[in-house]
Amino acid sequence: MSEQLLTVLKFCLLALVYLFLFRVVRAVWAEITPPRPVPAGGPGAGRGAPAAAGRPARSGRRGEPSLVVLAPPEQAGRRYVLGRELSVGRAAGCGVVVDDTFVSQLHARIYEQGGSYFVEDLGSTNGTFLNGAKVVGTMTLRAGDRLAVGNTVMELA
């Protein structure tokens, strides 16, 4: 090989190493920075989302689709009423705030479309599991399905 070709290949390799390092630093930075403040009215303000969506219900409302926490035991029974869209993660602006180191700041999204609910993983580090299967792309949620995020298990009721 010629000397010029080797020099070009060295620079390409160096560029790839710097690109890799940039991506690693960006991922770490996203995990350690505090979440942005939520605008007044909450995450669904101005988009037609109900005010109570994603907040723990004050009573055991029946008939409304909701997520009920099954594990860990200290959170068991907590109910989150589903609205049009609900985010799950460690960030304070999420509809379901999970205090777990295995959960990303913005871990998963649950949304309603055409009368059905769907869940999608938002690129979390440890994944989201629906009935024991890893969520890949968008998957349909049905009553009785179990959603696991980190060490937290919730059931769609």
Side-chain angles (χ1 to χ4, degrees):
M1 272 196 223
S2 72
E3 192 71 30
Q4 290 175 333
L5 180 60
L6 286 176
T7 303
V8 168
L9 289 175
K10 285 180 195 177
F11 281 120
C12 288
L13 180 62
L14 187 62
L16 286 174
V17 168
Y18 278 115
L19 180 64
F20 173 76
L21 289 175
F22 171 74
R23 299 274 317 237
V24 167
V25 169
R26 196 173 98 192
V28 169
W29 184 259
E31 285 293 322
I32 64 171
T33 54
R36 295 182 193 141
V38 178
R47 291 187 289 182
R55 301 292 171 227
R58 292 194 175 110
S59 64
R61 297 182 207 170
R62 301 289 180 226
E64 290 182 290
S66 58
L67 284 176
V68 179
V69 178
L70 303 176
E74 59 272 6
Q75 298 290 325
R78 181 170 280 181
R79 180 179 296 268
Y80 295 92
V81 177
L82 296 177
R84 295 194 41 83
E85 186 172 330
L86 183 64
S87 57
V88 179
R90 279 195 338 244
C94 290
V96 178
V97 179
V98 179
D99 187 24
D100 185 343
T101 56
F102 292 105
V103 176
S104 299
Q105 291 285 326
L106 194 55
H107 196 96
R109 175 173 85 115
I110 300 166
Y111 62 96
E112 184 266 335
Q113 187 175 28
S116 297
Y117 283 95
F118 300 92
V119 62
E120 70 176 329
D121 186 84
L122 298 175
S124 65
T125 305
N126 295 314
T128 303
F129 295 87
L130 180 61
N131 297 324
K134 188 169 185 172
V135 173
V136 179
T138 301
M139 296 178 76
T140 305
L141 268 173
R142 293 183 178 84
D145 282 352
R146 292 190 176 196
L147 186 67
V149 176
N151 294 317
T152 302
V153 179
M154 298 171 278
E155 182 177 79
L156 182 63

PDB file of all heavy atoms in Angstrom, residues 106-122:
ATOM      1  N   LEU A 106     -36.027   9.201  30.575  1.00  0.00           N
ATOM      2  CA  LEU A 106     -37.235   9.072  29.764  1.00  0.00           C
ATOM      3  C   LEU A 106     -37.182   7.667  29.179  1.00  0.00           C
ATOM      4  O   LEU A 106     -36.490   7.413  28.203  1.00  0.00           O
ATOM      5  CB  LEU A 106     -37.261  10.140  28.674  1.00  0.00           C
ATOM      6  CG  LEU A 106     -38.572  10.352  27.962  1.00  0.00           C
ATOM      7  CD1 LEU A 106     -39.693  10.655  28.943  1.00  0.00           C
ATOM      8  CD2 LEU A 106     -38.456  11.496  26.974  1.00  0.00           C
ATOM      9  N   HIS A 107     -37.877   6.727  29.800  1.00  0.00           N
ATOM     10  CA  HIS A 107     -37.693   5.305  29.540  1.00  0.00           C
ATOM     11  C   HIS A 107     -38.661   4.742  28.493  1.00  0.00           C
ATOM     12  O   HIS A 107     -38.241   4.069  27.558  1.00  0.00           O
ATOM     13  CB  HIS A 107     -37.875   4.547  30.861  1.00  0.00           C
ATOM     14  CG  HIS A 107     -37.361   3.153  30.832  1.00  0.00           C
ATOM     15  ND1 HIS A 107     -36.112   2.816  31.290  1.00  0.00           N
ATOM     16  CD2 HIS A 107     -37.920   2.005  30.398  1.00  0.00           C
ATOM     17  CE1 HIS A 107     -35.936   1.515  31.149  1.00  0.00           C
ATOM     18  NE2 HIS A 107     -37.014   1.002  30.606  1.00  0.00           N
ATOM     19  N   ALA A 108     -39.945   5.015  28.665  1.00  0.00           N
ATOM     20  CA  ALA A 108     -40.953   4.435  27.771  1.00  0.00           C
ATOM     21  C   ALA A 108     -42.117   5.404  27.599  1.00  0.00           C
ATOM     22  O   ALA A 108     -42.282   6.342  28.376  1.00  0.00           O
ATOM     23  CB  ALA A 108     -41.462   3.102  28.323  1.00  0.00           C
ATOM     24  N   ARG A 109     -42.921   5.137  26.578  1.00  0.00           N
ATOM     25  CA  ARG A 109     -44.101   5.965  26.301  1.00  0.00           C
ATOM     26  C   ARG A 109     -45.284   5.045  26.082  1.00  0.00           C
ATOM     27  O   ARG A 109     -45.198   4.040  25.375  1.00  0.00           O
ATOM     28  CB  ARG A 109     -43.841   6.798  25.044  1.00  0.00           C
ATOM     29  CG  ARG A 109     -45.039   7.613  24.592  1.00  0.00           C
ATOM     30  CD  ARG A 109     -44.660   8.529  23.447  1.00  0.00           C
ATOM     31  NE  ARG A 109     -44.728   7.863  22.164  1.00  0.00           N
ATOM     32  CZ  ARG A 109     -45.572   8.190  21.193  1.00  0.00           C
ATOM     33  NH1 ARG A 109     -46.410   9.180  21.345  1.00  0.00           N
ATOM     34  NH2 ARG A 109     -45.556   7.530  20.058  1.00  0.00           N
ATOM     35  N   ILE A 110     -46.417   5.406  26.695  1.00  0.00           N
ATOM     36  CA  ILE A 110     -47.669   4.689  26.507  1.00  0.00           C
ATOM     37  C   ILE A 110     -48.637   5.696  25.914  1.00  0.00           C
ATOM     38  O   ILE A 110     -48.770   6.807  26.423  1.00  0.00           O
ATOM     39  CB  ILE A 110     -48.206   4.155  27.848  1.00  0.00           C
ATOM     40  CG1 ILE A 110     -47.183   3.203  28.469  1.00  0.00           C
ATOM     41  CG2 ILE A 110     -49.552   3.472  27.660  1.00  0.00           C
ATOM     42  CD1 ILE A 110     -47.443   2.874  29.903  1.00  0.00           C
ATOM     43  N   TYR A 111     -49.291   5.315  24.843  1.00  0.00           N
ATOM     44  CA  TYR A 111     -50.216   6.252  24.211  1.00  0.00           C
ATOM     45  C   TYR A 111     -51.435   5.521  23.674  1.00  0.00           C
ATOM     46  O   TYR A 111     -51.416   4.321  23.450  1.00  0.00           O
ATOM     47  CB  TYR A 111     -49.527   7.050  23.098  1.00  0.00           C
ATOM     48  CG  TYR A 111     -49.018   6.222  21.952  1.00  0.00           C
ATOM     49  CD1 TYR A 111     -49.778   6.058  20.802  1.00  0.00           C
ATOM     50  CD2 TYR A 111     -47.782   5.594  22.012  1.00  0.00           C
ATOM     51  CE1 TYR A 111     -49.317   5.291  19.736  1.00  0.00           C
ATOM     52  CE2 TYR A 111     -47.312   4.831  20.965  1.00  0.00           C
ATOM     53  CZ  TYR A 111     -48.086   4.685  19.829  1.00  0.00           C
ATOM     54  OH  TYR A 111     -47.628   3.919  18.783  1.00  0.00           O
ATOM     55  N   GLU A 112     -52.523   6.295  23.511  1.00  0.00           N
ATOM     56  CA  GLU A 112     -53.788   5.769  23.013  1.00  0.00           C
ATOM     57  C   GLU A 112     -53.962   6.200  21.566  1.00  0.00           C
ATOM     58  O   GLU A 112     -53.667   7.336  21.209  1.00  0.00           O
ATOM     59  CB  GLU A 112     -54.943   6.304  23.871  1.00  0.00           C
ATOM     60  CG  GLU A 112     -56.297   5.765  23.505  1.00  0.00           C
ATOM     61  CD  GLU A 112     -57.052   6.658  22.529  1.00  0.00           C
ATOM     62  OE1 GLU A 112     -56.791   7.863  22.482  1.00  0.00           O
ATOM     63  OE2 GLU A 112     -57.885   6.116  21.795  1.00  0.00           O
ATOM     64  N   GLN A 113     -54.401   5.261  20.742  1.00  0.00           N
ATOM     65  CA  GLN A 113     -54.659   5.577  19.339  1.00  0.00           C
ATOM     66  C   GLN A 113     -55.770   4.646  18.853  1.00  0.00           C
ATOM     67  O   GLN A 113     -55.636   3.424  18.943  1.00  0.00           O
ATOM     68  CB  GLN A 113     -53.391   5.390  18.505  1.00  0.00           C
ATOM     69  CG  GLN A 113     -53.534   5.848  17.078  1.00  0.00           C
ATOM     70  CD  GLN A 113     -52.205   5.760  16.341  1.00  0.00           C
ATOM     71  OE1 GLN A 113     -51.350   4.944  16.673  1.00  0.00           O
ATOM     72  NE2 GLN A 113     -52.044   6.594  15.344  1.00  0.00           N
ATOM     73  N   GLY A 114     -56.841   5.231  18.393  1.00  0.00           N
ATOM     74  CA  GLY A 114     -57.952   4.438  17.867  1.00  0.00           C
ATOM     75  C   GLY A 114     -58.596   3.529  18.897  1.00  0.00           C
ATOM     76  O   GLY A 114     -59.050   2.437  18.568  1.00  0.00           O
ATOM     77  N   GLY A 115     -58.617   3.948  20.159  1.00  0.00           N
ATOM     78  CA  GLY A 115     -59.252   3.147  21.201  1.00  0.00           C
ATOM     79  C   GLY A 115     -58.363   2.068  21.796  1.00  0.00           C
ATOM     80  O   GLY A 115     -58.778   1.368  22.705  1.00  0.00           O
ATOM     81  N   SER A 116     -57.149   1.911  21.293  1.00  0.00           N
ATOM     82  CA  SER A 116     -56.209   0.921  21.833  1.00  0.00           C
ATOM     83  C   SER A 116     -55.008   1.642  22.438  1.00  0.00           C
ATOM     84  O   SER A 116     -54.684   2.753  22.052  1.00  0.00           O
ATOM     85  CB  SER A 116     -55.717  -0.013  20.731  1.00  0.00           C
ATOM     86  OG  SER A 116     -56.783  -0.754  20.205  1.00  0.00           O
ATOM     87  N   TYR A 117     -54.358   0.976  23.383  1.00  0.00           N
ATOM     88  CA  TYR A 117     -53.152   1.528  23.998  1.00  0.00           C
ATOM     89  C   TYR A 117     -51.924   0.803  23.470  1.00  0.00           C
ATOM     90  O   TYR A 117     -51.949  -0.404  23.253  1.00  0.00           O
ATOM     91  CB  TYR A 117     -53.228   1.423  25.520  1.00  0.00           C
ATOM     92  CG  TYR A 117     -54.127   2.482  26.109  1.00  0.00           C
ATOM     93  CD1 TYR A 117     -55.458   2.209  26.377  1.00  0.00           C
ATOM     94  CD2 TYR A 117     -53.647   3.755  26.361  1.00  0.00           C
ATOM     95  CE1 TYR A 117     -56.296   3.178  26.892  1.00  0.00           C
ATOM     96  CE2 TYR A 117     -54.477   4.742  26.876  1.00  0.00           C
ATOM     97  CZ  TYR A 117     -55.789   4.442  27.141  1.00  0.00           C
ATOM     98  OH  TYR A 117     -56.616   5.414  27.641  1.00  0.00           O
ATOM     99  N   PHE A 118     -50.854   1.571  23.300  1.00  0.00           N
ATOM    100  CA  PHE A 118     -49.602   1.047  22.780  1.00  0.00           C
ATOM    101  C   PHE A 118     -48.461   1.483  23.688  1.00  0.00           C
ATOM    102  O   PHE A 118     -48.549   2.516  24.347  1.00  0.00           O
ATOM    103  CB  PHE A 118     -49.347   1.564  21.359  1.00  0.00           C
ATOM    104  CG  PHE A 118     -50.412   1.173  20.383  1.00  0.00           C
ATOM    105  CD1 PHE A 118     -51.496   2.001  20.146  1.00  0.00           C
ATOM    106  CD2 PHE A 118     -50.347  -0.036  19.720  1.00  0.00           C
ATOM    107  CE1 PHE A 118     -52.493   1.643  19.256  1.00  0.00           C
ATOM    108  CE2 PHE A 118     -51.342  -0.412  18.821  1.00  0.00           C
ATOM    109  CZ  PHE A 118     -52.412   0.431  18.593  1.00  0.00           C
ATOM    110  N   VAL A 119     -47.403   0.677  23.724  1.00  0.00           N
ATOM    111  CA  VAL A 119     -46.214   1.015  24.491  1.00  0.00           C
ATOM    112  C   VAL A 119     -45.012   0.952  23.556  1.00  0.00           C
ATOM    113  O   VAL A 119     -44.944   0.103  22.667  1.00  0.00           O
ATOM    114  CB  VAL A 119     -46.024   0.067  25.706  1.00  0.00           C
ATOM    115  CG1 VAL A 119     -45.818  -1.373  25.273  1.00  0.00           C
ATOM    116  CG2 VAL A 119     -44.860   0.528  26.580  1.00  0.00           C
ATOM    117  N   GLU A 120     -44.078   1.883  23.767  1.00  0.00           N
ATOM    118  CA  GLU A 120     -42.825   1.848  23.018  1.00  0.00           C
ATOM    119  C   GLU A 120     -41.683   2.237  23.941  1.00  0.00           C
ATOM    120  O   GLU A 120     -41.834   3.090  24.808  1.00  0.00           O
ATOM    121  CB  GLU A 120     -42.868   2.755  21.787  1.00  0.00           C
ATOM    122  CG  GLU A 120     -42.886   4.222  22.067  1.00  0.00           C
ATOM    123  CD  GLU A 120     -42.829   5.062  20.804  1.00  0.00           C
ATOM    124  OE1 GLU A 120     -42.227   4.630  19.811  1.00  0.00           O
ATOM    125  OE2 GLU A 120     -43.391   6.163  20.833  1.00  0.00           O
ATOM    126  N   ASP A 121     -40.569   1.560  23.776  1.00  0.00           N
ATOM    127  CA  ASP A 121     -39.362   1.866  24.526  1.00  0.00           C
ATOM    128  C   ASP A 121     -38.697   3.062  23.852  1.00  0.00           C
ATOM    129  O   ASP A 121     -38.641   3.135  22.630  1.00  0.00           O
ATOM    130  CB  ASP A 121     -38.424   0.655  24.526  1.00  0.00           C
ATOM    131  CG  ASP A 121     -37.225   0.880  25.409  1.00  0.00           C
ATOM    132  OD1 ASP A 121     -37.340   0.658  26.625  1.00  0.00           O
ATOM    133  OD2 ASP A 121     -36.175   1.290  24.887  1.00  0.00           O
ATOM    134  N   LEU A 122     -38.204   4.005  24.645  1.00  0.00           N
ATOM    135  CA  LEU A 122     -37.610   5.217  24.098  1.00  0.00           C
ATOM    136  C   LEU A 122     -36.087   5.162  24.115  1.00  0.00           C
ATOM    137  O   LEU A 122     -35.425   6.139  24.433  1.00  0.00           O
ATOM    138  CB  LEU A 122     -38.121   6.445  24.873  1.00  0.00           C
ATOM    139  CG  LEU A 122     -39.627   6.667  24.794  1.00  0.00           C
ATOM    140  CD1 LEU A 122     -40.044   7.828  25.680  1.00  0.00           C
ATOM    141  CD2 LEU A 122     -40.063   6.896  23.356  1.00  0.00           C
TER     142      LEU A 122
END
